[in-house]
Amino acid sequence: GLLDERLLGFDLKKLSRSLFLERDDLFHYIGVQTLYERYFMKSETMRLELPQAFWMRIAMGLALNEKDRDEKAVQFYEVMSSLRYVPSTPTLFHAGTLHPQLSSCYLTTVDDDLNHIFKCLADNAQLSKWSGGLGNDWTNIRATGAWIKSTNVESQGVIPFLKIANDVTAAINRSGKRRGATCAYLETWHLDIEDFIDLRRNTGDERRRTHDMNTANWIPDLFMKRVIENRDWTLFSPDEVPELHHIYGKEFERKYAGYEENARKGLIKKYKSVPALKLWRKMLGRLFETGHPWITFKDPCNIRSPQDHAGVIHSSNLCTEITLNTSAEETAVCNLGSINLERHVIDGRLDEELLAATVKTAIRMLDNVIDINYYPTIEAQNSNFKHRPVGLGIMGLQDALFKLNLNFDSEEAVNASDRLMEVISYYAILTSSELAKEKGAYESYKGSKWDRDIFPIDTIGLLEGERGISINLQRKETLDWSNVREHVKKYGMRNSNIMAIAPTATISNIAGCFPCIEPIYKNIYVKSNISGEFTVVNSYLVNDLKKLGSWNNEMLDQIKYYDGSVQLIVGVPQNTKDKCKEAFEIEPEWFVKHAAARGKWIDQSQSLNIFIKGTSGKKLNDLYIDAWKLGLKTTYYLRSLAASQIEKATLDANKFGYTQKRDYTAVMNNNTIDNTAVENSKLAIGIEQQNSEAKVCLIEDPECEACQ
């Protein structure tokens, strides 16, 4: 009663002989424990799977519709069990089961209609029930004070509905396997935007707070131009400016300016003019304070979209890597999986043949998800069958850089990111076109950018043209793309969208690599998740120190004392210190540089976490403006270094003292921690060390010199 009966149609003896039981040893403890706690099928009293049977069950579940399904199941098993590629969590949960909900992400647009609002909330519950992450676009909802003709009253705006969406999210918990998760998006010209950016604050009216739901700003290019030019920005209610949310680029700029003129003439009832720079600073302040709302850019997502002929992208998804069209009739769906780059760097070099083989198998597996998938709503099914989008991503970038002996904060590493993504993009696009030759192109292919011979690398120029601003990004191709272009021209594409880099927080634990595209968080730390607490150690650092004869208890104690950092430890060589910098020891502009280099080749987006140490408002401002100027589509969490230190019970207090009570001056001088100040409930965003006193300035204070 748990598995699809069609699995009995496989040659089970043949598949059993294809298992490599010794691959159990590829797992780290955190990986196999996570599988045991959350992923293995179970009855009320026992687990029903072991690791290799688990991989084969997923492989069989994804090969159900293949003509040579035994051979394909073995092929799929090979890339997963060797940890070269891991599908997303819903696929791992449900492949081969009676309800194979294998998709990761759902994106919806909520219309300004009470029936549709509550339909979407009900859809959220159904999609969350089957482990889907949600991105909800709320920009259509009229603003606070807008008139409702049917009831002859003023609207309460979008915030009360977001509170309900938050509570729906909190109510869904898949029996401890996965919590419900939602992100709400609002475009920056919406009259409720100032209340929206306060939703995650820990102060204020709790009825207007959403602590269990993520939030994201959906920012048009025109707003960023107004910020840079220090001009005013006008907020509107969507019922009076109905086109704005559904257009972009030059067309948006013309229409927006027209509405501003109408407002000046008194032809628009509800509007508000604010300095764009002041609003921008408030957005960055809340981002630093709460981690929300995330900064995402509307125009790059739409202008660079392969599906610009078939609708509009109104938001991204839960983790900001998916950029697909949505409407009342179409709930966008994306099916995810990630390549483990660590497994493709062998003897200090990238094995491109192996990587190409992995990409080809992964794309086929992802495409199969679409036909096998259980769809909780008809809008999701309609959209997925029509456009067939998938999102092939990567993880283990930091592992690959360690094995290539490259420092994350170096141009060589950025070039490696560029080259890695070009290779993946090349074979992903080619494979989708080969699947189109075998099975037919996706339904809405005609008129798409693919059909017009416009590939992701070409869309940087389109974005420049719409903005009227150059993008400082080199666009050199190192592979011969003419073969791919000719194949697409002849056979089309099987999938409207192919690449998206998701966070991989859990599947990277399973694969035993560092998450996604991120640098190492710390060289040693304790990681807590739904499966428990796990000590994580940088094995690459340990191996380097062993080769030097420097790995001993004294070295371990010093690394613990410095919270994982090796920058102040005398016995660690400088080249090892440079290579093993932790996330907060790397200047944040390097994250943006890596993302821009990869983004040229990607047709969707990336879950880009940014790590920042210190509280410089100018640095934060420059960072996000540079991200926009380089054409990034989206960013994800802003991770700032907390002003706290954990007592280290495994250190000798007589030798090291009570580590959590180290004085402020020592902490500042040792560069292990920065202080975050909050004054008058405002975010302290700038700090200097001067005569042993902290000088604080506020991002919301226009007189603050750090923000000029």
Side-chain angles (χ1 to χ4, degrees):
L2 297 176
L3 293 171
D4 190 321
E5 288 188 359
R6 290 178 292 171
L7 299 189
L8 293 172
F10 285 84
D11 186 339
L12 300 181
K13 289 186 178 180
K14 177 180 179 179
L15 299 190
S16 296
R17 290 193 300 270
S18 301
L19 299 179
F20 290 89
L21 302 186
E22 62 272 19
R23 288 183 180 170
D24 286 1
D25 295 332
L26 295 177
F27 294 110
H28 297 176
Y29 174 70
I30 187 175
V32 77
Q33 179 68 18
T34 299
L35 288 178
Y36 175 82
E37 291 287 347
R38 296 174 60 190
Y39 288 84
F40 291 161
M41 296 191 68
K42 59 186 177 182
S43 66
E44 292 182 5
T45 57
M46 69 174 68
R47 302 306 192 273
L48 303 176
E49 290 180 314
L50 288 171
Q52 300 311 310
F54 162 78
W55 291 129
M56 187 58 84
R57 184 257 299 171
I58 298 160
M60 294 162 69
L62 294 178
L64 279 170
N65 294 341
E66 295 280 5
K67 295 176 182 177
D68 51 348
R69 56 186 184 177
D70 290 319
E71 287 73 17
K72 284 295 187 290
V74 172
Q75 181 184 344
F76 297 167
Y77 166 81
E78 173 63 27
V79 298
M80 290 188 292
S81 64
S82 60
L83 305 182
R84 287 158 48 198
Y85 167 79
V86 182
S88 63
T89 285
T91 301
L92 301 182
F93 280 165
H94 302 132
T97 68
L98 298 180
H99 290 282
Q101 198 301 101
L102 313 177
S103 296
S104 305
C105 307
Y106 296 89
L107 288 71
T108 66
T109 289
V110 185
D111 277 353
D112 188 32
D113 173 82
L114 198 61
N115 289 330
H116 195 254
I117 290 169
F118 280 90
K119 180 193 183 303
C120 289
L121 293 171
D123 288 351
N124 278 6
Q126 289 298 322
L127 297 168
S128 292
K129 174 183 177 181
W130 297 105
S131 300
L134 306 174
N136 294 154
D137 158 40
W138 290 91
T139 301
N140 289 318
I141 307 302
R142 70 190 66 192
T144 305
W147 198 251
I148 304 174
K149 291 181 181 178
S150 59
T151 54
N152 208 33
V153 297
E154 289 185 347
S155 169
Q156 295 187 71
V158 70
I159 304 300
F161 296 115
L162 294 177
K163 177 63 175 173
I164 300 171
N166 175 83
D167 295 343
V168 169
T169 297
I172 306 296
N173 187 328
R174 294 260 294 108
S175 304
K177 289 179 99 175
R178 202 181 205 201
R179 295 186 182 93
T182 306
C183 182
Y185 285 78
L186 201 70
E187 197 162 343
T188 313
W189 51 261
H190 196 289
L191 198 55
D192 287 340
I193 191 69
E194 292 174 290
D195 289 332
F196 178 80
I197 63 179
D198 282 342
L199 282 171
R200 290 295 297 259
R201 299 197 79 187
N202 290 321
T203 59
D205 187 350
E206 279 298 302
R207 292 170 298 180
R208 298 178 73 81
R209 296 292 178 264
T210 58
H211 302 298
D212 299 299
M213 184 172 70
N214 301 307
T215 58
N217 287 298
W218 191 237
I219 304 172
D221 277 356
L222 183 60
F223 175 75
M224 298 304 298
K225 292 177 181 179
R226 296 275 181 95
V227 168
I228 293 169
E229 296 164 0
N230 196 13
R231 295 174 57 194
D232 283 346
W233 179 250
T234 309
L235 308 179
F236 296 105
S237 179
D239 59 312
E240 294 192 89
V241 291
E243 301 96 336
L244 286 186
H245 190 41
H246 311 291
I247 55 178
Y248 52 87
K250 293 177 181 177
E251 184 183 4
F252 174 89
E253 294 190 9
R254 286 192 296 269
K255 199 70 178 177
Y256 184 87
Y259 280 128
E260 286 186 310
E261 181 63 25
N262 287 345
R264 285 190 287 270
K265 292 177 179 177
L267 301 177
I268 289 181
K269 298 174 184 177
K270 299 293 297 183
Y271 71 94
K272 179 182 178 181
S273 182
V274 298
L277 185 58
K278 183 179 179 181
L279 179 58
W280 173 245
R281 285 174 174 167
K282 187 175 181 180
M283 289 159 64
L284 293 183
R286 295 295 176 267
L287 181 67
F288 188 91
E289 180 184 354
T290 70
H292 294 86
W294 302 324
I295 303 296
T296 63
F297 300 115
K298 170 186 178 179
D299 288 82
C301 291
N302 276 285
I303 293 164
R304 298 191 62 205
S305 168
Q307 290 293 96
D308 58 345
H309 70 305
V312 175
I313 300 169
H314 293 105
S315 73
S316 187
N317 68 315
L318 172 65
C319 306
T320 76
E321 82 277 14
I322 302 304
T323 53
L324 299 174
N325 300 343
T326 55
S327 67
E329 295 75 34
E330 290 189 4
T331 292
V333 185
C334 207
N335 320 291
L336 301 178
S338 297
I339 291 171
N340 180 2
L341 295 176
E342 183 270 335
R343 291 279 159 182
H344 297 84
V345 178
I346 300 170
D347 297 329
R349 59 173 291 274
L350 176 66
D351 189 331
E352 292 190 5
E353 289 187 10
L354 183 64
L355 182 57
T358 302
V359 170
K360 285 178 174 289
T361 301
I363 291 292
R364 189 176 194 98
M365 293 169 71
L366 287 168
D367 184 65
N368 285 354
V369 164
I370 296 163
D371 298 311
I372 297 166
N373 199 45
Y374 167 78
Y375 294 96
T377 69
I378 189 63
E379 292 84 0
Q381 179 174 304
N382 290 343
S383 176
N384 221 26
F385 282 149
K386 185 176 181 181
H387 310 300
R388 304 187 67 86
V390 298
L392 179 65
I394 58 175
M395 55 185 171
L397 173 65
Q398 176 68 91
D399 300 79
L401 294 178
F402 278 140
K403 295 177 79 170
L404 292 168
N405 201 32
L406 295 174
N407 303 337
F408 194 98
D409 54 348
S410 68
E411 291 297 338
E412 293 80 9
V414 173
N415 291 336
S417 278
D418 192 335
R419 172 68 180 181
L420 282 164
M421 205 64 234
E422 183 183 5
V423 173
I424 291 169
S425 179
Y426 183 96
Y427 288 105
I429 296 170
L430 179 59
T431 303
S432 182
S433 186
E434 289 171 345
L435 287 172
K437 178 183 178 182
E438 177 186 340
K439 302 180 179 183
Y442 68 92
E443 182 182 329
S444 61
Y445 170 76
K446 206 67 180 170
S448 68
K449 279 192 172 71
W450 305 115
D451 184 38
R452 286 141 50 200
D453 191 30
I454 301 173
F455 279 32
I457 189 70
D458 306 321
T459 61
I460 300 293
L462 296 180
L463 182 58
E464 281 181 325
E466 284 288 320
R467 283 182 177 175
I469 301 173
S470 64
I471 297 174
N472 185 23
L473 208 56
Q474 72 88 10
R475 295 155 219 186
K476 180 182 177 183
E477 296 177 347
T478 63
L479 298 172
D480 180 6
W481 282 82
S482 60
N483 295 331
V484 182
R485 290 180 184 271
E486 282 301 316
H487 202 284
V488 172
K489 188 175 182 179
K490 187 172 183 179
Y491 298 106
M493 294 286 286
R494 181 66 173 165
N495 313 97
S496 64
N497 299 75
I498 311 157
M499 291 160 283
I501 301 178
T504 76
T506 305
I507 63 170
S508 61
N509 290 339
I510 295 170
C513 63
F514 293 114
C516 192
I517 47 181
E518 296 176 11
I520 184 169
Y521 173 64
K522 282 185 173 293
N523 287 307
I524 183 169
Y525 68 103
V526 175
K527 182 171 188 172
S528 298
N529 61 26
I530 201 169
S531 299
E533 293 188 347
F534 305 89
T535 301
V536 180
V537 181
N538 181 359
S539 60
Y540 300 96
L541 170 63
V542 174
N543 291 336
D544 281 356
L545 294 175
K546 282 181 177 179
K547 291 175 184 176
L548 295 167
S550 301
W551 181 249
N552 50 41
N553 288 334
E554 174 66 23
M555 178 63 72
L556 177 59
D557 284 347
Q558 289 193 66
I559 294 173
K560 288 180 182 178
Y561 180 75
Y562 288 115
D563 291 326
S565 175
V566 296
Q567 300 305 311
L568 298 171
I569 300 175
V570 175
V572 178
Q574 188 60 48
N575 64 333
T576 301
K577 290 180 179 180
D578 293 340
K579 188 168 65 173
C580 295
K581 283 183 182 178
E582 298 173 344
F584 288 108
E585 294 169 339
I586 296 170
E587 290 298 324
E589 56 261 29
W590 287 104
F591 307 132
V592 173
K593 286 183 178 181
H594 276 269
R598 283 187 302 267
K600 297 179 301 187
W601 310 107
I602 300 173
D603 57 326
Q604 295 201 65
S605 192
Q606 311 167 61
S607 294
L608 176 65
N609 284 332
I610 292 176
F611 299 80
I612 190 166
K613 182 170 67 173
T615 49
S616 167
K618 185 178 187 305
K619 190 174 189 177
L620 199 61
N621 173 74
D622 292 348
L623 181 68
Y624 279 96
I625 286 181
D626 284 347
W628 175 75
K629 286 182 176 178
L630 285 172
L632 265 62
K633 297 176 182 177
T634 61
T635 64
Y636 196 28
Y637 282 101
L638 175 70
R639 310 285 191 184
S640 54
L641 193 61
S644 63
Q645 189 179 20
I646 299 168
E647 180 63 56
K648 300 168 184 68
T650 55
L651 292 183
D652 183 353
N654 292 322
K655 182 177 180 181
F656 290 94
Y658 292 97
T659 52
Q660 70 181 14
K661 297 180 180 179
R662 295 161 68 197
D663 68 44
Y664 171 78
T665 304
V667 169
M668 289 298 293
N669 289 340
N670 285 340
N671 199 29
T672 58
I673 239 174
D674 271 335
N675 185 48
T676 302
V678 175
E679 182 179 293
N680 297 329
S681 299
K682 289 186 176 182
L683 173 64
I685 201 70
I687 184 168
E688 305 178 359
Q689 187 71 6
Q690 186 175 15
N691 299 324
S692 299
E693 294 182 1
K695 180 183 177 184
V696 175
C697 53
L698 304 176
I699 195 170
E700 293 177 37
D701 181 358
E703 301 304 317
C704 171
E705 63 185 10
C707 298
Q708 303 305 314

